[in-house]
Amino acid sequence: MKDLLCDEFQNVVGELLIRHHSILDVLSKLSESSARINRAICKSVTDCGCLSIDAKKVQFPDHVNSLEDLKKFLDSHLRGTLCPECEDIVISELGKSLFYTAALCNLLGLNLYDIFIAEYKKATTLGVFNLT
């Protein structure tokens, strides 16, 4: 069922993409959407203040026995949660990114769901060795 939803989304994108049908348009729109996601998150810090960033060098102890122990020392540096307004903006920008990712798949004759499954299999098979 989920593959049908992904395929249907990709089909709808194909039907709607009229103005920006060139590969150059899609590549530039995909890049722009990534920048807009970054901007929306930055604005949630600098304008709204619902998020803050507390970044500093991660200190690892000399002896870590396992990956689980190592994970205890990792930090996203992110504090707070998105307020409803900022969340709506970030969701909208992520949606546009998905739209143009699907458009790029259409132009290249690729199936978005197949890419998703291949990446999922790679991540679950390689685990932490899939650090790309």
Side-chain angles (χ1 to χ4, degrees), residues 14-44:
E15 292 172 9
L16 295 177
L17 197 66
I18 296 168
R19 184 168 173 231
H20 301 292
H21 192 71
S22 164
I23 186 74
L24 297 174
D25 287 334
V26 171
L27 287 172
S28 65
K29 292 299 277 185
L30 184 58
S31 180
E32 178 188 356
S33 70
S34 177
R36 291 178 65 87
I37 292 167
N38 292 341
R39 182 73 175 146
I41 294 170
C42 289
K43 295 303 267 182
S44 71

Side-chain angles (χ1 to χ4, degrees), residues 77-122:
H77 303 126
L78 190 61
R79 305 294 181 261
T81 57
L82 290 170
C83 70
E85 290 173 13
C86 290
E87 183 178 283
D88 287 346
I89 294 167
V90 170
I91 288 171
S92 174
E93 298 303 342
L94 286 168
K96 290 174 190 170
S97 182
L98 288 173
F99 181 92
Y100 287 108
T101 298
L104 183 59
C105 288
N106 285 342
L107 290 174
L108 297 174
L110 303 172
N111 182 278
L112 184 60
Y113 183 76
D114 292 343
I115 295 168
F116 174 79
I117 292 299
E119 192 62 26
Y120 170 77
K121 286 180 180 177
K122 186 169 76 169

Side-chain angles (χ1 to χ4, degrees), residues 35-80:
R36 291 178 65 87
I37 292 167
N38 292 341
R39 182 73 175 146
I41 294 170
C42 289
K43 295 303 267 182
S44 71
V45 174
T46 60
D47 268 6
C48 178
C50 61
L51 293 180
S52 64
I53 298 170
D54 180 20
K56 54 188 169 241
K57 182 179 178 181
V58 178
Q59 299 291 327
F60 295 108
D62 293 334
H63 294 67
V64 178
N65 297 326
S66 70
L67 184 59
E68 289 303 315
D69 288 343
L70 182 62
K71 286 182 180 181
K72 294 176 188 173
F73 297 96
L74 300 177
D75 185 0
S76 71
H77 303 126
L78 190 61
R79 305 294 181 261

